Amino acid sequence: MAVVLFVVAGFLVGGVIQLIRSGATKFSVGVVGVLAALAVAGGVAWLLPS
């Protein structure tokens, strides 16, 4: 499951880069960036021992 979260985070980071290049609003870049950060945090939390 952690691998899936890291893959999703990678897609979202790529989306952030494309949004910045296309001149999207800061709100949309921020939303996608927060989602990417949450995916990374979830992946790391999944790997931590209970």
Side-chain angles (χ1 to χ4, degrees):
M1 184 66 180
V3 174
V4 173
L5 287 170
F6 287 129
V7 168
V8 168
F11 281 118
L12 289 170
V13 169
V16 167
I17 293 169
Q18 289 298 337
L19 285 171
I20 292 171
R21 286 184 183 173
S22 67
T25 63
K26 290 185 180 182
F27 176 76
S28 61
V29 173
V31 168
V32 177
V34 167
L35 290 174
L38 285 174
V40 169
V44 170
W46 197 276
L47 291 176
L48 293 176
S50 298

